[in-house]
Amino acid sequence: MSTSTYLAYDYPLLSMFWTLLWFFLWIMWFVLLFRIIGDIFRDDSLSGWGKTGWLVFCIVLPFLGVFVYLIARGKDMGRREIEHSQAQQRAFDDYVRDRAGESKPSSSAEELAKLSEMRSHGDITDDEFRRAKDLVLSGAGPSARTGSTTDS
């Protein structure tokens, strides 16, 4: 056997380095493969047959399929990822706004009903209720004072 064959085993630290390097490359390969499979399913411009073709190509010939996919469609992968992230962020922001009660009530009657309920639970005093009721009836209620705060 040649000297280069024994090199990794003569120096255990080098053997460990090569093992970690191959393990890292193996993990990165699977991350790349799963990202490409996710991108195939996320892409709305591909037809069902197109998605099936790319998926079969990436599964049957994984190295060649992944490299060809990256060359042919890799540029748009980033754009689709950004669009997907922005859509998720918009959905999250809408959910938070809805849960936080930022959406304004549809009428002053609803605001008065909420104020009445708060007074009956003891959350606000009678004086606070009267002041808030005057604001709502004058058209300068909480929704009118804050205005439109949505940036979207």
Side-chain angles (χ1 to χ4, degrees), residues 5-25:
T5 306
Y6 293 113
L7 182 63
Y9 298 106
D10 289 340
Y11 302 102
L13 187 61
L14 186 60
S15 174
M16 183 184 70
F17 170 75
W18 281 112
T19 303
L20 288 175
L21 179 68
W22 282 110
F23 184 72
F24 174 75
L25 291 174

Side-chain angles (χ1 to χ4, degrees), residues 22-65:
W22 282 110
F23 184 72
F24 174 75
L25 291 174
W26 184 71
I27 295 295
M28 288 306 297
W29 171 253
F30 279 109
V31 168
L32 181 62
L33 181 66
F34 288 129
R35 283 193 58 130
I36 287 176
I37 290 172
D39 186 63
I40 290 170
F41 284 111
R42 181 181 301 131
D43 188 9
D44 292 332
S45 66
L46 277 176
S47 66
W49 287 107
K51 290 179 183 186
T52 304
W54 277 113
L55 192 61
V56 167
F57 190 35
C58 287
I59 290 175
V60 173
L61 298 170
F63 289 108
L64 184 63

Side-chain angles (χ1 to χ4, degrees), residues 70-137:
L70 286 175
I71 291 168
R73 301 180 51 84
K75 181 179 177 184
D76 293 333
M77 278 180 68
R79 182 186 50 79
R80 284 188 293 274
E81 183 71 28
I82 289 170
E83 288 173 358
H84 180 69
S85 297
Q86 288 173 344
Q88 281 184 328
Q89 185 66 41
R90 279 192 302 272
F92 176 75
D93 290 345
D94 291 342
Y95 175 77
V96 168
R97 272 191 216 97
D98 184 47
R99 291 290 120 200
E102 220 177 78
S103 59
K104 55 184 177 180
S106 61
S107 69
S108 59
E110 288 181 18
E111 289 186 32
L112 288 173
K114 286 181 183 179
L115 285 171
S116 177
E117 184 180 336
M118 289 172 67
R119 182 180 63 170
S120 65
H121 289 309
D123 294 336
I124 59 174
T125 63
D126 288 335
D127 186 43
E128 291 171 330
F129 174 75
R130 268 187 252 108
R131 283 186 292 180
K133 183 175 98 173
D134 291 339
L135 282 174
V136 169
L137 292 177

